Amino acid sequence: MKRHNNLFERITSFENLLLASRKAQKGKRFKSSVGSFNLEIEKELLQIQYELRNQVYRPGSYKRFFIYDPKKRLISAAPYRDRVVHHALCNIIEPIFDKTFIRDSYACRVGKGTHKAVDRFTKFCRQNRYVLKCDISKYFDSVDHHILFELIARKIKDKNALCLIKLIIDSLNGREGKGIPIGNLTSQFFANIYLNGLDHFIKERLKCGYYIRYVDDFVLLADNKNELHEAKKLISDYLAGLKLNLHPKKSTVSLVSQGTDFLGYKIYPTHRLVKKSNVRRFVRRMKKYRKALFEGKTSLEKISMSIQSWIAHASHADSRHLLTRLGVSQDTRRFLEQYSRQPAGC
């Protein structure tokens, strides 16, 4: 296996740091931390470069908060300057690893994403009778730092680059050397590396031609359900070597004709629907937005962006009647008005 050297100079070049800062601020330009950084961007980037090249860079403290979408999740957000470093690292090493990823790994990769994964799954549903849907229990909390670093070191030889990678990994959670936070670019990238071996095991050892993974959600399809039950046992054994476990209630074999919950949709061979729980969350969110708007705590522009994002998600399902029933409108203020009257379960 080829190991790559001479990466650190590229990671810490001013040009790469500038590109990293542009990527890190996407969708966050109006945040105060980004604004203050950009006021003296050249000075800030030169300071980061100095710290990295003189081995004195230390990650800052994470800002932690909970989201409820759909279940309670702890988000750990790195300080903005650290996010710039994360992007600078991924700019250089991500292409190295991406070449080793299988075609049907869809999370956080250029040209992939949830909608491509859903389209692929729909195609597979029309070619198979059964699906094994798997979910890894507490995946992000369970990633072992030592195993993760060893997997990265198989491809990276540059000692300075490895020191930076280890520094980032060790700063992630630090709870007995386990866990990577949800919400960071490096976490998403590291999550793909951690399960890349599983992807190849399923494709090459188990000879499964119908397999898709999106982070820790993955599916295998076949015409023989016994084959899938056997695959589940072998996958469980493989994951044990990574100190991971399949979720006992969310890893099941079923008929594709019954519909499969996958990436926010209920998918059948003939059609797909937006999950009911997703629709309920959207309605509740609109009620909160309406209240915040009329209290002056948010703007129509921010709400409109959220609405358009959800419409884009819904439009990848058979959702014409759903959107009509919800009264989705380009007039955001009028659209929100109705949520003073709609029941939460609509």
Side-chain angles (χ1 to χ4, degrees):
M1 180 183 292
K2 181 180 178 181
R3 297 178 73 213
H4 295 258
N5 208 346
N6 304 316
L7 301 175
F8 195 66
E9 285 296 315
R10 293 169 57 199
I11 293 168
T12 60
S13 72
F14 185 83
E15 293 76 15
N16 186 48
L17 290 171
L18 180 59
L19 174 62
S21 70
R22 289 170 179 165
K23 289 184 175 181
Q25 68 181 265
K26 284 184 178 178
K28 300 178 177 68
R29 286 184 301 154
F30 301 110
K31 291 198 171 183
S32 58
S33 59
V34 179
S36 59
F37 186 95
N38 285 342
L39 278 175
E40 296 187 276
I41 188 168
E42 185 174 346
K43 179 182 175 181
E44 293 281 2
L45 294 178
L46 287 173
Q47 179 62 28
I48 291 174
Q49 184 185 58
Y50 171 84
E51 292 177 18
L52 289 170
R53 290 187 170 179
N54 288 277
Q55 307 292 312
V56 295
Y57 166 76
R58 295 295 180 270
S61 299
Y62 285 83
K63 179 182 177 181
R64 291 179 166 84
F65 55 93
F66 289 100
I67 63 169
Y68 300 83
D69 192 18
K71 60 185 179 181
K72 185 178 179 180
R73 294 177 184 271
L74 176 63
I75 303 296
S76 300
Y80 180 68
R81 74 192 307 266
D82 291 340
R83 296 204 298 271
V84 173
V85 174
H86 295 172
H87 276 277
L89 174 67
C90 289
N91 284 347
I92 304 304
I93 71 169
E94 190 169 2
I96 293 170
F97 286 91
D98 194 74
K99 293 176 183 177
T100 72
F101 296 159
I102 65 167
R103 171 187 174 179
D104 288 315
S105 169
Y106 284 89
C108 310
R109 298 178 65 196
V110 176
K112 302 290 185 177
T114 56
H115 298 143
K116 291 284 183 69
V118 166
D119 288 343
R120 184 78 161 160
F121 180 70
T122 299
K123 180 181 178 181
F124 286 173
C125 280
R126 293 168 180 168
Q127 297 172 286
N128 297 275
R129 293 182 63 205
Y130 297 96
V131 56
L132 165 62
K133 184 178 183 297
C134 294
D135 179 275
I136 297 174
S137 181
K138 298 180 180 178
Y139 176 53
F140 280 89
D141 287 338
S142 302
V143 170
D144 183 276
H145 290 186
H146 176 72
I147 294 174
L148 173 61
F149 182 78
E150 290 298 312
L151 291 172
I152 294 171
R154 291 178 186 178
K155 294 292 292 180
I156 304 297
K157 187 177 181 180
D158 188 307
K159 290 183 179 179
N160 288 329
L162 285 174
C163 283
L164 175 59
I165 291 167
K166 191 172 191 307
L167 188 66
I168 292 172
I169 290 174
D170 289 344
S171 76
L172 295 178
N173 262 3
R175 182 180 55 78
E176 301 176 353
K178 282 190 176 184
I180 54 177
I182 300 171
N184 282 351
L185 173 70
T186 48
S187 297
Q188 297 165 353
F189 175 50
F190 291 158
N192 272 344
I193 293 174
Y194 205 76
L195 290 180
N196 187 35
L198 173 68
D199 296 340
H200 287 277
F201 173 77
I202 291 172
K203 295 288 286 184
E204 296 157 17
R205 294 283 298 277
L206 301 188
K207 305 294 183 182
C208 180
Y210 302 96
Y211 168 69
I212 297 168
R213 180 173 65 82
Y214 191 95
V215 193
D216 60 326
D217 288 329
F218 57 96
V219 290
L220 294 77
L221 297 95
D223 278 327
N224 187 325
K225 66 178 178 181
N226 292 328
E227 181 183 319
L228 293 178
H229 282 295
E230 181 61 28
K232 180 181 174 182
K233 294 177 185 176
L234 296 172
I235 289 168
S236 183
D237 291 343
Y238 184 95
L239 289 173
L242 295 174
K243 300 184 180 180
L244 300 173
N245 298 294
L246 287 177
H247 195 294
K249 294 182 180 179
K250 296 181 181 179
S251 303
T252 57
V253 176
S254 61
L255 285 162
V256 297
S257 59
Q258 294 175 338
T260 308
D261 289 342
F262 189 52
L263 303 181
Y265 301 96
K266 184 83 168 182
I267 304 174
Y268 300 84
T270 54
H271 63 288
R272 73 179 73 129
L273 304 173
V274 180
K275 287 178 63 176
K276 290 182 179 179
S277 58
N278 189 300
V279 177
R280 287 194 293 268
R281 288 198 304 275
F282 175 70
V283 171
R284 287 195 295 268
R285 189 158 65 244
M286 290 307 102
K287 289 189 172 186
K288 290 179 181 178
Y289 281 162
R290 179 187 180 278
K291 182 180 178 182
L293 177 66
F294 291 104
E295 290 177 352
K297 295 179 180 179
T298 189
S299 67
L300 278 174
E301 182 183 11
K302 288 184 178 180
I303 296 173
S304 181
M305 288 175 62
S306 176
I307 292 171
Q308 295 306 318
S309 175
W310 190 83
I311 291 173
H313 171 76
S315 67
H316 281 80
D318 297 280
S319 59
R320 183 167 58 88
H321 295 298
L322 169 65
L323 296 177
T324 300
R325 180 165 61 86
L326 291 176
V328 172
S329 167
Q330 296 298 322
D331 185 339
T332 304
R333 185 179 292 275
R334 180 179 293 178
F335 177 46
L336 288 174
E337 285 285 356
Q338 70 181 305
Y339 287 93
S340 63
R341 300 183 296 274
Q342 282 197 10
C346 177

